[in-house]
Amino acid sequence: MHFKIDNESLPGFNTNKYLERLTLITDYIKENYDQSLSLDSIAQVFGLSPEYLSRFFVKHVGLTLFQYINAIRLEKSFRVLMNTDHSIIQIALEHGFPNEKSFARVFKKVYHVTPHQYRKKHKRLSEARSQ
């Protein structure tokens, strides 16, 4: 995944401070993506106001905090979807989505089909190739 890091608007002496903060926040999300994450809870962990965190994240990443969290959750859950027979609801809940509907909505936005449809189509393709 490629995320925008906006160095042009940062004064030179602050660049490292912002980059370090961004790295800490994104690492925290990657380590805790399967938990319930909210703007307030993440802001509290880093001693920031939710408003500041929200603006900071969009400015330096080019996505909202929730778009980023969902991208991480989708990336991690996709591997499980394609490499296991776990149920869709189990995959959704194990990867931080509040329910199957939320997982399906995020998945469909990226892949244009539901997780179930995607898995079914691609399992058929891999079975056809192995025959």
Side-chain angles (χ1 to χ4, degrees):
M1 283 185 219
H2 301 286
F3 299 107
K4 168 185 145 192
I5 297 186
D6 182 4
N7 287 333
E8 292 162 21
S9 61
L10 301 174
F13 66 92
N14 272 336
T15 303
N16 284 344
K17 182 178 107 178
Y18 289 131
L19 190 56
E20 192 175 305
R21 176 180 289 157
L22 187 60
T23 301
L24 289 171
I25 294 167
T26 56
D27 286 351
Y28 177 82
I29 291 168
K30 288 173 188 171
E31 289 167 20
N32 296 284
Y33 74 92
D34 56 346
Q35 307 296 310
S36 176
L37 294 173
S38 70
L39 179 62
D40 287 347
S41 69
I42 296 170
Q44 193 171 17
V45 167
F46 292 96
L48 305 170
S49 75
E51 296 79 11
Y52 175 83
L53 175 58
S54 180
R55 284 193 314 271
F56 173 85
F57 208 84
V58 168
K59 179 178 180 180
H60 297 292
V61 180
L63 297 171
T64 68
L65 190 67
F66 286 105
Q67 288 171 327
Y68 182 80
I69 292 169
N70 282 335
I72 298 300
R73 287 175 173 164
L74 191 59
E75 176 189 337
K76 306 280 189 185
S77 60
F78 183 83
R79 291 183 201 135
V80 177
L81 178 73
M82 298 313 294
N83 296 310
T84 72
D85 289 325
H86 296 178
S87 69
I88 305 294
I89 184 69
Q90 182 183 358
I91 294 169
L93 297 176
E94 286 176 356
H95 291 87
F97 292 99
N99 52 48
E100 186 175 350
K101 188 176 177 184
S102 171
F103 176 45
R105 184 175 26 79
V106 171
F107 192 95
K108 194 170 185 174
K109 198 177 277 186
V110 174
Y111 295 101
H112 309 291
V113 293
T114 67
H116 179 74
Q117 291 166 329
Y118 191 93
R119 178 191 258 175
K120 198 171 159 184
K121 178 183 175 189
H122 289 273
K123 279 213 187 244
R124 260 200 321 264
L125 288 175
S126 66
E127 287 167 3
R129 278 190 214 117
S130 65
Q131 290 177 1

